[in-house]
Short mmCIF file of all heavy atoms in Angstrom, two decimals:
data_model
loop_
_atom_site.label_atom_id
_atom_site.label_comp_id
_atom_site.label_asym_id
_atom_site.label_seq_id
_atom_site.Cartn_x
_atom_site.Cartn_y
_atom_site.Cartn_z
N LYS A 43 12.73 -74.10 -44.01
CA LYS A 43 11.85 -72.97 -44.19
C LYS A 43 12.27 -72.05 -45.31
O LYS A 43 13.46 -71.95 -45.61
CB LYS A 43 11.62 -72.20 -42.85
CG LYS A 43 12.91 -71.58 -42.32
CD LYS A 43 12.65 -70.99 -40.95
CE LYS A 43 12.66 -69.54 -41.01
NZ LYS A 43 12.34 -68.83 -39.83
N GLY A 87 13.71 -59.37 -19.73
CA GLY A 87 13.37 -60.78 -19.61
C GLY A 87 13.53 -61.51 -20.97
O GLY A 87 13.52 -60.83 -22.00
N GLU A 104 20.32 -75.24 -22.44
CA GLU A 104 21.30 -74.87 -21.45
C GLU A 104 22.20 -73.75 -21.99
O GLU A 104 22.52 -72.78 -21.28
CB GLU A 104 22.20 -76.10 -21.14
CG GLU A 104 23.33 -75.77 -20.16
CD GLU A 104 24.31 -76.88 -19.97
OE1 GLU A 104 24.38 -77.82 -20.81
OE2 GLU A 104 25.02 -76.82 -18.97
N ARG A 155 1.45 -70.22 -32.85
CA ARG A 155 0.55 -69.69 -33.86
C ARG A 155 -0.77 -69.16 -33.28
O ARG A 155 -1.54 -68.47 -33.93
CB ARG A 155 0.21 -70.76 -34.88
CG ARG A 155 1.46 -71.28 -35.65
CD ARG A 155 1.12 -72.54 -36.40
NE ARG A 155 0.76 -73.59 -35.47
CZ ARG A 155 0.41 -74.81 -35.83
NH1 ARG A 155 0.39 -75.20 -37.06
NH2 ARG A 155 0.07 -75.69 -34.87
#
Side-chain angles (χ1 to χ4, degrees):
K43 64 187 250 176
E104 177 188 19
R155 300 168 296 181

